[in-house]
C-alpha cells in the first residue's frame, strides 16, 4: 500500500484578536528552546514592563521581522523591559517550529530573549494569540497596555522594519507617560493549531 503523505494545513492570513486593554497577563511555565531553562511570568519580576511575542520559525511574516526583533531586544537590554517569545505551532504539521527548529532559528537570528515552546497551546489560547507574529505589552502590574503590530512593515509592502508602533508603546511605558490607545492589529500566518484544538476565535471572522 502506498503511504499517504502528510499535508500541512493551509496558511490563513490572520489579524490579532486585540485582547482588551487592562487584561492581566496570563501565567505560563514553559521551557526555553535554546537554554532548556524554564521561565514563568514571575521570572520577569522587577521589570517595569514585559513584551510577550508569539512567533515561530517558518512564517514569512516573522522572518520579515527577524533582524528587527534582534535589534529591538538589544536596544532595550539596558532598560527594565522584559522580553519573551512563545511559539505554539504544532510541530507535527510544521517540523521547523519544533523546539529544535526554534533553537536553530533563535541562534541564527541572534535573538537574545528566551524563545519558549507552548506544547499544549494552552498559553497561546490564554493570551488569545492568533497570528505569528503577535505582540503584547504589559506594565509593571502585568496589565495589558499595548497589543497589535510591531510596525507597518509587511513582506512586499516596502515599508522599513522599524518596530515603531511597539517601540512607541514601550518608550511611553518606561517614561511613565500615557500610551496611545489607537493600536493597530498585527497580521501574519495563523498559529498552527493541532487538529481539534482550534480556539473559538479561529478562523478569524
Amino acid at each position: 500500500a502506498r503511504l499517504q503523505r502528510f499535508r500541512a494545513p493551509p496558511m490563513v492570513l490572520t489579524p490579532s484578536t486585540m485582547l482588551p486593554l487592562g487584561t492581566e497577563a496570563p501565567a505560563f511555565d514553559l521551557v526555553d528552546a535554546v537554554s532548556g531553562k524554564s521561565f514563568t511570568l514571575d521570572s520577569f519580576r522587577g521589570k517595569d514592563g514585559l513584551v510577550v511575542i508569539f512567533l515561530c520559525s517558518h512564517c514569512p511574516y516573522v522572518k520579515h521581522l527577524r533582524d528587527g526583533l534582534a535589534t529591538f531586544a538589544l536596544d532595550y537590554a539596558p532598560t527594565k523591559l522584559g522580553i519573551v517569545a512563545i511559539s505554539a505551532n504544532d510541530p507535527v504539521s510544521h517540523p521547523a517550529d519544533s523546539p529544535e527548529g526554534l533553537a536553530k532559528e533563535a541562534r541564527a537570528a541572534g535573538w537574545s530573549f528566551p524563545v519558549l515552546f507552548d506544547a499544549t497551546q494552552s498559553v497561546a489560547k490564554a493570551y488569545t494569540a492568533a497570528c505569528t507574529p503577535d505582540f503584547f505589552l504589559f506594565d509593571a502590574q502585568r496589565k495589558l497596555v499595548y497589543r497589535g503590530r510591531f510596525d507597518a512593515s509587511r513582506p512586499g509592502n516596502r515599508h522599513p522594519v522599524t518596530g515603531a508602533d511597539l517601540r512607541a508603546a514601550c518608550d511611553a511605558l518606561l517614561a511613565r507617560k500615557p500610551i496611545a490607545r489607537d493600536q493597530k492589529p498585527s497580521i501574519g500566518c495563523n498559529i498552527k493549531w493541532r487538529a481539534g484544538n482550534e480556539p473559538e476565535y479561529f478562523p478569524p471572522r
Side-chain angles (χ1 to χ4, degrees):
R2 295 178 63 186
L3 292 175
Q4 186 175 19
R5 295 185 64 186
F6 179 83
R7 281 187 156 186
M11 186 272 281
V12 178
L13 196 60
T14 302
S16 306
T17 62
M18 303 303 276
L19 185 66
L21 296 174
T23 298
E24 188 171 346
F28 57 81
D29 186 352
L30 301 171
V31 174
D32 177 19
V34 177
S35 68
K37 178 182 175 183
S38 291
F39 284 82
T40 69
L41 199 58
D42 282 344
S43 299
F44 301 92
R45 184 178 297 169
K47 297 291 186 181
D48 289 342
L50 176 63
V51 176
V52 180
I53 310 167
F54 285 85
L55 49 66
C56 66
S57 295
H58 86 276
C59 173
Y61 285 79
V62 176
K63 287 187 177 296
H64 181 68
L65 303 183
R66 193 178 192 244
D67 294 341
L69 293 175
T71 301
F72 172 79
L74 290 174
D75 288 347
Y76 284 89
T79 73
K80 294 187 72 176
L81 182 73
I83 304 173
V84 63
I86 299 173
S87 178
N89 276 9
D90 178 13
V92 175
S93 62
H94 291 77
D97 297 334
S98 67
E100 296 77 17
L102 291 170
K104 182 179 178 181
E105 178 66 4
R107 292 188 182 103
W111 292 339
S112 55
F113 44 82
V115 180
L116 314 182
F117 183 61
D118 180 16
T120 67
Q121 304 183 321
S122 60
V123 175
K125 286 183 177 180
Y127 281 77
T128 69
C131 55
T132 53
D134 212 352
F135 298 88
F136 300 81
L137 173 64
F138 299 89
D139 64 14
Q141 288 73 47
R142 299 301 176 257
K143 301 293 185 181
L144 185 66
V145 293
Y146 178 84
R147 71 282 194 253
R149 71 186 190 180
F150 193 56
D151 56 32
S153 189
R154 303 287 183 272
N157 75 357
R158 302 195 178 196
H159 286 276
V161 176
T162 62
D165 293 57
L166 182 59
R167 285 174 181 268
C170 292
D171 291 345
L173 176 65
L174 294 172
R176 293 176 169 77
K177 293 181 179 179
I179 296 171
R181 297 180 72 88
D182 179 20
Q183 301 173 8
K184 296 177 174 60
S186 185
I187 194 164
C189 303
N190 61 290
I191 287 177
K192 302 304 184 286
W193 307 101
R194 293 194 313 276
N197 198 43
E198 300 88 349
E200 56 86 23
Y201 56 84
F202 181 79
R205 293 171 176 81

